């Protein structure tokens, strides 16, 4: 490569840089793209111009003055006239395939230098690896030792736990044995106590029973005779015959007596009627005959009652008719006395009443009787 | 050749099974979002990443505080079995730490997990059992399991599962639950199931079953059931087992079961005294302790006392023995002393 002066190098742009057109760079082969870019630039420029117009500009110069562009920088620049521009276009064939750019491999310059590391020159592997290995292995072993120790510790703990458990088991067995013993003893005691208590209880009961029995016997010994006595007193023991007589015979007897009494009553009433009739008749007759006779009355009196009693006697035998009554009226004292003996106390009273009743009629009857005797 | 520029691509994912976790404290929130994503792959990868993170208790605490547990609960019901497996694994790892157990209790995860008891995939079930087993290591966890009524399903599963490993895990869980409260288990016939397991071929299962019976027979009801179902002859038989810890657990179960009279006579009938005397010379301390206690119980019955009066010297020798741990030595001595006093008791 030739070295040149930078001042004379065509590639270096010199001079005014304001008015220069930026042409397509050397590495831009595509013409279409180039065209598009140019158009885009034009459009941008136009847009900028339009914007510039809109943008407020400096005001117009005052009357009599003129605006002049002045350079105010430190270093003045020569502003030349507009440069002659010529538009040049060049376009390649659009559809032509362009072969790819060959790889730019810059030419080899410089000196080739090579280096080689031989065995054992850099470091001794065995020596160097030792510490690393030691560390590695050491760490692993440490870790595993820790784990193993942990396990061992656990195993130890477990073993001691087991031992403790065994001891505890044996103690527990002992405790249970003692408990069991205690329980057995206690149960035995309870059983014996219970037995004893039962015996005593039974004993008590038996003695109580005996006492009660003796007392009951003594009490009841009296009871029987008193019971019998009271029963007898209440009449629960009766002689059946007597009972029978009392229940059966006596009412019948009473009935019969009543009947008989009734008969005698009837007879007596009839007799009374007869007597009354007779007496009335005799009275009537007597009244007729009174003027003629006056007979002694007291002599008739014994005979009077006698006659009355005879009439009564006649009434005792009701079967015997009224005719018999009349016949027996005239019987003597003999009959009268026997009838007296035979009468019961009840009849006696009754008869005494009738006697009294007929006392009035006695006199009349006696008189009539007398009259009859006399007549 | 390496470029000096940074590449616009994402960095290469070395582990395609896991999702790339964000750095620092953004890791968990981002994982939580990814857990909720619709895409199955994303969920699975997120779960795998979570598995790794959960080994650190602080991570667990963080996960709890941002509410990852709810997401995990939802994922438990996912239709894809891989998702379920991984979720249960995450929960299992969580349960190994105390913070995680606390999370279990807070968010009611036990119940959500219980729906997977009948899951078809065995891996899923294994993780489930492991999670439960870790949970019941603390009393609160055991109480939680009991209160949610999971004992009966677990007992049922114990019968049904074919895999021995699963049985062991379930037995582990049951052992610790029974320590807390045995009433529910007793009503679901756990004694019968354990009786079967006592005769299993696998020694671990035998030993754990015996341990479970030990815990069952602590309560009175348990003792009665153990006697009722004739488990004592089997336990006596197990006393002659070749494996030490089976013998010791069997002796422990006998120790508790013989507290009540029926148990005593059942054990005497099954000739329990001679194996127990042999066990006194066992190398395991717990076996000796249990055997001593069991013999003490048996000595309360007159027949037992008669037989054991001959062996009083053995107990006297035990009284003066010493052991490296003072508590254990003291316990042994005390047990021996009590045994002697019971044997020589005259009414």
């Amino acid at each position: 490569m030739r070295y040149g002066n930078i001042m004379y190098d065509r590639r270096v742009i010199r001079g005014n840089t304001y008015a220069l057109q930026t042409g397509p760079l050397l590495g831009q082969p595509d013409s279409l793209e180039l065209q598009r870019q140019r158009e885009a630039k034009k459009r941008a420029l136009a847009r900028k111009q339009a914007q510039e117009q809109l943008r407020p500009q400096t005001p117009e110069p005052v009357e009599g003055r003129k605006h002049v562009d002045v350079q105010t920088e430190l270093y003045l620049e020569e502003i030349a006239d507009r440069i002659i521009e010529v538009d040049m276009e060049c376009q390649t064939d659009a559809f032509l395939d362009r072969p790819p750019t060959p790889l730019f491999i810059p030419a080899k310059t410089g000196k080739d230098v090579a280096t080689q590391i031989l065995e054992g020159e850099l470091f001794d592997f065995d020596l160097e690896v030792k510490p690393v290995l030691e560390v590695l292995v050491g760490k692993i072993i440490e870790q595993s030792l820790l784990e193993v120790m942990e396990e061992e510790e656990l195993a130890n703990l477990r073993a001691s736990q087991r031992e403790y458990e065994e001891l505890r088991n044996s103690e527990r067995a002992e405790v249970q044995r003692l408990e069991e013993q205690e329980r057995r003893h206690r149960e035995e005691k309870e059983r014996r106590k219970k037995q004893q208590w039962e015996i005593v209880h039974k004993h008590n009961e038996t003695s109580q029973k005996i006492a009660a029995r003796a007392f009951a016997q003594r009490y009841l010994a009296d009871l029987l005779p008193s019971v019998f006595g009271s029963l007898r007193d209440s009449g629960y023991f009766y002689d059946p015959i007597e009972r029978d007589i009392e229940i059966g015979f006596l009412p019948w007897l009473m009935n019969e007596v009543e009947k008989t009494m009734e008969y005698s009553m009837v007879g007596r009433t009839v007799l009374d009627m007869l007597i009354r009739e007779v007496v009335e008749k005799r009275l009537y007759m007597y009244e007729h005959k009174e003027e003629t006779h006056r007979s002694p009355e007291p002599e008739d009196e014994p005979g009077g009652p006698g006659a009355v009693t005879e009439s009564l006697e006649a009434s005792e035998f009701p079967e015997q008719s009224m005719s018999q009554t009349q016949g027996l009226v005239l019987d003597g004292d003999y009959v009268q006395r026997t009838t007296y003996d035979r009468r019961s106390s009840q009849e006696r009273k009754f008869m005494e009443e009738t006697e009294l009743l007929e006392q009035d009629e006695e006199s009349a009857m006696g008189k009539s009787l007398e009259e009859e005797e006399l007549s | 050749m390496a470029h000096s520029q940074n590449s616009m691509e994402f960095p290469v994912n070395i582990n395609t099974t896991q999702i790339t976790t964000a750095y620092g404290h953004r890791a968990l929130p981002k994982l939580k979002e990814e857990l909720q994503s619709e895409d199955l792959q994303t969920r699975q990868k997120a779960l795998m990443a979570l598995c790794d993170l959960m080994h650190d208790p602080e991570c667990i605490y963080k996960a709890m505080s941002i509410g990852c547990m709810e997401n995990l609960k939802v994922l438990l019901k996912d239709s894809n079995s891989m998702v379920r497996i991984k979720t249960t694994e995450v929960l299992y790892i969580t349960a190994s730490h105390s913070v995680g157990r606390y999370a279990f209790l807070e968010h009611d995860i036990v119940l959500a997990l219980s729906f997977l008891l009948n899951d078809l995939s065995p891996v899923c079930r294994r993780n489930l059992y492991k999670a439960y087993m870790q949970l019941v290591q603390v009393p609160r966890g055991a109480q939680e399991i009991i209160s949610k009524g999971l004992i009966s399903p677990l007992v049922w599963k114990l019968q049904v599962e074919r895999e021995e490993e699963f049985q062991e895990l379930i037995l582990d869980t049951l052992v610790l639950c029974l320590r807390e409260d045995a009433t529910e288990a007793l009503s679901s016939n756990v004694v019968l199931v354990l009786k079967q397991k006592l005769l299993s071929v696998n020694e671990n299962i035998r030993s754990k079953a015996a341990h479970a019976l030990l815990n069952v027979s602590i309560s009175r009801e348990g003792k009665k059931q153990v006697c009722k179902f004739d488990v004592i002859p089997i336990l006596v038989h197990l006393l002659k087992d070749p494996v030490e810890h089976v013998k010791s657990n069997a002796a422990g179960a006998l120790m508790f079961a013989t507290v009540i009279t029926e148990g005593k006579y059942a054990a005497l009938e099954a000739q329990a005294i001679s194996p127990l005397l042999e066990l006194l010379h066992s190398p395991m301390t717990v076996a000796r302790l249990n055997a001593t206690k069991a013999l003490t119980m048996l000595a309360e019955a007159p027949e037992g006392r008669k037989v054991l009066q001959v062996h009083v010297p053995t107990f006297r020798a035990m009284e003066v023995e010493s052991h490296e741990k003072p508590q254990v030595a003291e316990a042994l001595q005390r047990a021996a002393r009590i045994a002697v006093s019971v044997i020589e008791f005259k009414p």
Side-chain angles (χ1 to χ4, degrees):
Chain A
M1 183 178 299
R2 278 188 304 127
Y3 298 106
N5 196 350
I6 194 171
M7 299 294 286
Y8 298 105
D9 201 345
R10 270 195 304 156
R11 293 176 292 183
V12 176
I13 310 264
R14 310 181 72 243
N16 193 2
T17 51
Y18 287 107
L20 268 184
Q21 221 181 23
T22 49
L25 288 169
L26 274 173
Q28 309 256 5
D30 206 347
S31 61
L32 265 162
E33 188 121 63
L34 202 63
Q35 218 173 4
R36 232 181 284 133
Q37 275 180 12
R38 224 186 286 140
E39 277 174 25
K41 277 187 203 135
K42 273 192 202 149
R43 249 180 275 137
L45 204 64
R47 223 182 293 133
K48 215 189 275 177
Q49 278 187 357
Q51 274 188 351
E52 264 189 27
Q53 280 185 359
L54 289 169
R55 210 183 294 143
Q57 292 171 343
T58 53
E60 291 293 322
V62 178
E63 197 71 39
R65 293 230 187 133
K66 208 168 77 164
H67 282 294
V68 170
D69 287 330
V70 161
Q71 291 183 5
T72 50
E73 288 97 34
L74 205 55
Y75 302 106
L76 294 175
E77 253 179 55
E78 184 190 341
I79 300 175
D81 272 345
R82 201 176 148 77
I83 294 172
I84 303 163
E85 295 165 11
V86 174
D87 279 332
M88 286 291 289
E89 273 186 43
C90 177
Q91 185 163 331
T92 53
D93 221 339
F95 298 106
L96 210 62
D97 268 338
R98 186 184 174 279
T101 327
L103 206 61
F104 175 67
I105 299 170
K108 184 163 167 298
T109 54
K111 213 162 77 157
D112 271 334
V113 181
T115 176
Q116 166 77 1
I117 300 177
L118 298 167
E119 272 288 327
E121 277 189 329
L122 196 60
F123 59 83
D124 184 6
F125 180 73
D126 289 327
L127 267 173
E128 297 298 324
V129 89
K130 224 194 242 175
V132 176
L133 259 184
E134 271 176 19
V135 167
L136 266 176
V137 170
K139 275 227 170 311
I140 294 176
I141 291 189
E142 200 182 309
Q143 181 73 7
S144 45
L145 265 177
L146 273 170
E147 285 185 10
V148 166
M149 277 210 321
E150 247 181 46
E151 279 180 23
E152 218 178 272
E153 193 181 328
L154 271 175
N156 270 348
L157 275 172
R158 226 166 268 169
S160 74
Q161 245 183 16
R162 236 200 325 268
E163 252 178 51
Y164 172 71
E165 190 201 334
E166 288 153 14
L167 288 177
R168 185 166 168 251
N169 271 351
S170 72
E171 288 302 313
R172 224 185 204 170
E174 181 61 28
V175 163
Q176 284 186 351
R177 183 188 69 87
L178 286 171
E179 255 178 32
E180 193 62 32
Q181 207 182 35
E182 187 58 38
R183 192 187 63 88
R184 269 188 314 209
H185 284 173
R186 200 183 32 232
E187 270 186 20
E188 191 61 37
K189 257 193 276 192
E190 286 294 314
R191 229 178 307 144
R192 294 234 177 114
K193 263 204 297 207
K194 203 160 154 235
Q195 252 179 3
Q196 207 52 27
W197 186 84
E198 269 180 22
I199 288 175
V200 167
H201 189 70
K202 255 208 178 86
H203 194 74
N204 275 349
E205 239 182 87
T206 333
S207 67
Q208 270 183 8
K209 269 192 196 162
I210 293 175
R213 185 177 290 185
F215 174 73
Q217 264 182 358
R218 176 103 63 86
Y219 184 71
L220 292 176
D222 246 6
L223 194 64
L224 216 54
S226 73
V227 160
F228 276 130
S230 54
L231 278 176
R232 204 176 295 123
D233 288 342
S234 342
Y236 285 98
F237 297 120
Y238 52 82
D239 191 12
I241 300 174
E242 213 178 299
R243 207 15 149 21
D244 193 31
I245 292 179
E246 275 178 19
I247 288 178
F249 178 64
L250 282 176
W252 173 80
L253 190 65
M254 290 311 292
N255 271 340
E256 296 301 312
V257 164
E258 226 180 285
K259 267 195 250 172
T260 318
M261 295 297 292
E262 268 186 46
Y263 287 150
S264 80
M265 280 296 297
V266 166
R268 227 174 269 159
T269 320
V270 167
L271 187 63
D272 281 346
M273 279 167 55
L274 274 174
I275 294 174
R276 177 176 280 267
E277 229 181 274
V278 164
V279 165
E280 276 179 8
K281 238 188 238 169
R282 288 282 166 121
L283 192 64
Y284 179 66
M285 276 169 62
Y286 183 65
E287 276 172 354
H288 278 295
K289 279 188 182 171
E290 227 188 21
E291 289 98 33
T292 52
H293 282 300
R294 292 241 177 172
S295 51
E297 289 174 25
E299 290 174 42
D300 295 339
E301 279 184 39
V308 172
T309 51
E310 279 168 12
S311 67
L312 283 175
E313 181 201 330
S315 71
E316 267 190 68
F317 304 100
E319 302 90 10
Q320 296 163 15
S321 58
M322 299 302 130
S323 57
Q324 238 190 12
T325 312
Q326 277 184 355
L328 285 167
V329 158
L330 295 169
D331 273 359
D333 289 354
Y334 171 71
V335 180
Q336 171 196 343
R337 282 205 187 98
T338 51
T339 52
Y340 260 116
D341 292 336
R342 263 192 279 153
R343 274 173 212 136
S344 61
S345 53
Q346 291 172 340
E347 293 167 15
R348 199 166 291 167
K349 195 177 168 193
F350 188 57
M351 276 187 16
E352 276 173 3
E353 280 180 17
T354 46
E355 267 181 35
L356 284 165
L357 268 169
E358 288 166 338
Q359 282 282 328
D360 299 331
E361 298 172 342
E362 257 187 310
S363 51
M365 227 180 103
K367 280 177 192 160
S368 64
L369 282 172
E370 260 192 314
E371 275 183 298
E372 276 196 24
E373 284 172 23
L374 288 168
S375 63
Chain B
M1 194 175 112
H3 294 275
S4 52
Q5 280 177 332
N6 274 338
S7 157
M8 294 301 287
E9 305 287 329
F10 281 118
V12 169
N13 200 351
I14 355 172
N15 188 359
T16 41
T17 53
Q18 274 194 27
I19 213 165
T20 39
T21 46
Y23 184 73
H25 79 278
R26 276 296 304 164
L28 278 168
K30 186 141 190 302
L31 270 181
K32 179 171 142 85
E33 280 165 27
E34 273 151 16
L35 281 176
Q36 289 165 336
S37 94
E38 301 291 327
D39 181 30
L40 183 64
Q41 286 244 333
T42 321
R43 277 186 299 198
Q44 286 175 345
K45 289 203 225 173
L47 274 171
M48 301 224 37
L50 199 60
C51 272
D52 276 347
L53 282 175
M54 283 286 141
H55 284 279
D56 184 10
E58 293 188 11
C59 259
I60 302 180
Y61 179 73
K62 183 107 199 294
M64 245 180 71
S65 58
I66 59 175
C68 262
M69 293 294 154
E70 301 295 324
N71 294 45
L72 289 173
K73 270 210 291 199
V74 168
L75 283 173
L76 276 173
K77 299 194 184 89
D78 198 277
S79 46
N80 183 300
S81 70
M82 185 66 194
V83 169
R84 285 200 302 265
I85 290 174
K86 276 293 154 195
T87 318
T88 44
E89 194 177 325
V90 167
L91 286 170
Y92 154 56
I93 298 174
T94 327
S96 347
H97 298 272
S98 140
V99 195
R101 283 193 279 264
Y102 179 69
F104 262 60
L105 298 175
E106 274 274 306
H107 295 270
D108 215 5
I109 292 186
V110 174
L111 201 55
L113 270 178
S114 65
F115 290 123
L116 288 175
L117 270 173
N118 293 321
D119 197 88
L120 296 168
S121 139
V123 188
C124 187
R125 278 190 308 218
R126 184 198 291 132
N127 288 337
L128 174 69
Y129 295 138
K130 276 196 192 161
Y132 276 158
M133 188 190 78
Q134 295 285 15
L135 180 63
V136 300
Q137 300 286 340
V138 274
R140 263 297 317 266
Q143 274 167 15
E144 179 79 11
I145 293 223
I146 294 173
S147 68
K148 293 281 180 284
L150 285 172
I151 304 250
S152 327
L154 280 174
V155 172
W156 162 247
K157 276 282 160 191
L158 185 58
Q159 281 176 306
V160 166
E161 288 280 2
R162 302 237 166 271
E163 283 277 339
E164 298 198 331
E165 190 197 341
F166 292 0
Q167 290 181 7
E168 281 182 35
L169 288 168
I170 301 180
L171 274 169
D172 272 328
T173 321
L174 278 177
V175 160
L176 291 162
C177 284
L178 286 169
R179 214 194 303 174
E180 287 297 315
D181 183 9
T183 44
E184 199 198 320
L186 285 168
S187 55
S188 57
N189 282 331
V190 71
V191 178
L192 282 170
V193 177
L194 288 173
K195 189 174 153 183
Q196 276 176 8
K197 298 290 166 223
L198 279 176
L199 300 164
S200 140
V201 179
N202 184 335
E203 61 191 29
N204 279 333
I205 294 189
R206 280 204 302 262
S207 146
K208 289 182 190 172
H211 199 167
L213 271 172
L214 197 160
N215 282 335
V216 158
S217 38
I218 291 181
S219 76
R220 203 174 172 76
E221 185 55 40
K223 288 193 246 274
K224 287 197 192 133
Q225 281 208 5
V226 162
C227 295
K228 192 166 83 170
F229 290 122
D230 289 328
V231 186
I232 298 199
I234 307 183
L235 284 171
V236 174
H237 172 74
L238 276 181
L239 283 174
K240 305 177 196 125
D241 201 275
V243 182
E244 282 298 325
H245 52 86
V246 173
K247 280 198 274 197
S248 94
N249 282 336
L254 271 175
M255 164 175 93
F256 276 113
T258 46
V259 171
I260 55 174
T261 335
E262 302 172 343
K264 282 200 240 276
Y265 282 103
L268 284 171
E269 272 172 40
Q271 311 292 327
I273 301 196
S274 30
L276 282 171
L277 283 167
E278 277 176 32
L279 208 55
L280 279 177
H281 304 292
S282 145
M284 271 180 84
T285 331
V286 65
R288 297 172 70 193
L289 207 53
N290 291 349
T292 322
K293 281 272 165 262
L295 284 169
T296 319
M297 307 293 167
L298 288 177
E300 291 204 327
E303 293 85 3
R305 193 174 284 135
K306 233 189 312 193
V307 176
L308 283 171
Q309 264 171 349
V310 186
H311 293 103
V312 171
T314 331
F315 288 111
R316 289 215 192 277
M318 258 176 78
E319 264 185 72
V320 294
E321 246 177 61
S322 71
H323 199 264
E324 47 200 42
K325 297 200 195 117
Q327 297 144 320
V328 177
E330 195 201 320
L332 275 173
Q333 285 170 8
R334 196 168 38 217
R337 222 176 306 139
I338 295 175
V340 170
S341 68
V342 168
I343 296 178
E344 294 184 339
F345 169 73
K346 302 252 177 296

